Amino acid sequence: MTAAGAGGLDAIRTNPAGAVLGFDFDGTLAPIVDDPASARAHPGAAPALARLAPLVGALVIVTGRPAAVAVEYGGFEGIDGLVVLGQYGLERWESGVLTEPEPPPGVAEARAKLPGVLAAAGAPPETFVEDKGQALAVHTRRCAEPEVALERLRSIIAALAERTGLTVEPGRLVLELRPHGMDKGMALRRFVDDLGTRPSAVLFAGDDLGDLAAFDAVEALRAEGVPGVLVCSGSAEVTELAERADLVVDGPAGVVDLMGALLDVPS
């Protein structure tokens, strides 16, 4: 635990009603699985969030998944006060109401061209595309040599993104084509600013490269005098977050334990 992180945790415990707690979904609240459609939150995640929700100032999940999917797969439907920002902040789910924009035309163009692009690149047959509506994720986790397959596709996916006006979000054995203009850091900062009051502390827990932008947002708030905590849900696949985190926990189970420990609530 870093000194800054310890200070952030103390600030949360001292004034939980003013604290903002943020979490990624896949790899943080839910274990990573071969098929994204079979992902489900750790069984302790929803109960822990439900106990925290009435005690803290704000509780938010910031995910690359569609917000409604994260709510369904997490079992979060009945948690009052929880906000889910999906598609890197393009969507917002709150109290059962989903707000989402129309996908930019580049997504439809990329959807049409992606099968041909993958075939031309010699993508292994185990490569699969997850259609998120606002984005398209190319996964190589099922391939015999997933890292090799990912590197083979990296440049051609980047070229497709450039042609269609999208950006590439790299992750754990995945390359995601998504719209410009929003990332998890921007989504978290906008959420905090929209609260209208200065938080007593901000915590964000994540596991993958897309969560680095949220870490940046917490560090920017620290520079403005808001205590912050950077939590990494540790894995052997991505080390960049662990190198920057104040605290590294053992995957989603460790995140659930941390949620319980934050306010001395059994997990």
Side-chain angles (χ1 to χ4, degrees):
M1 172 63 70
T2 65
L9 287 178
D10 287 343
I12 293 171
R13 291 193 175 101
T14 299
N15 183 10
V20 175
L21 306 185
F23 303 89
D24 168 47
F25 184 74
D26 289 284
T28 302
L29 296 177
I32 294 292
V33 293
D34 288 345
D35 180 1
S38 67
R40 296 296 183 271
H42 183 284
L49 290 168
R51 287 192 289 269
L52 284 172
L55 304 176
V56 300
L59 197 60
V60 60
I61 293 171
V62 188
T63 175
R65 281 191 184 269
V69 172
V71 171
E72 177 187 353
Y73 290 3
F76 302 146
E77 293 88 348
I79 302 178
D80 292 335
L82 176 67
V83 175
V84 179
L85 304 178
Q87 307 267 17
Y88 297 88
L90 291 174
E91 300 177 345
R92 182 181 179 113
W93 178 94
E94 185 175 7
S95 301
V97 177
L98 177 66
T99 304
E100 58 181 334
E102 288 294 323
V107 174
E109 183 182 356
R111 182 180 292 114
K113 292 180 176 178
L114 192 53
V117 166
L118 294 177
E126 297 84 2
T127 304
F128 70 101
V129 177
E130 178 188 6
D131 193 333
K132 299 182 177 183
Q134 299 275 353
L136 302 160
V138 180
H139 296 264
T140 62
R141 183 171 296 277
R142 299 175 185 171
C143 300
E145 296 181 298
E147 294 88 356
V148 173
L150 193 73
E151 287 306 314
R152 180 187 300 172
L153 298 176
R154 196 178 296 275
S155 61
I156 197 165
I157 293 296
L160 177 61
E162 184 174 358
R163 291 198 302 272
T164 55
L166 302 176
T167 190
V168 177
E169 185 75 48
R172 294 170 64 173
L173 301 178
V174 61
L175 296 169
E176 184 167 329
L177 290 152
R178 65 177 184 83
H180 289 279
M182 184 63 74
D183 60 35
K184 290 186 180 182
M186 296 170 65
L188 179 62
R189 183 60 195 248
R190 181 180 294 178
F191 177 81
V192 171
D193 290 345
D194 286 349
L195 294 174
T197 58
R198 177 186 173 96
S200 61
V202 177
L203 175 149
F204 188 82
D207 76 305
D208 207 347
L209 297 175
D211 299 312
L212 289 171
F215 275 22
D216 290 341
V218 174
E219 290 184 336
L221 287 163
R222 276 178 172 169
E224 298 169 19
V226 177
V229 188
L230 306 175
V231 179
C232 173
S233 174
S235 76
E237 292 180 346
V238 174
T239 60
E240 286 88 338
L241 268 76
E243 293 165 359
R244 287 186 56 187
D246 300 307
L247 174 66
V248 180
V249 300
D250 188 13
V255 173
V256 170
D257 288 342
L258 174 63
M259 285 195 281
L262 281 174
L263 300 174
D264 297 321
V265 177
S267 61

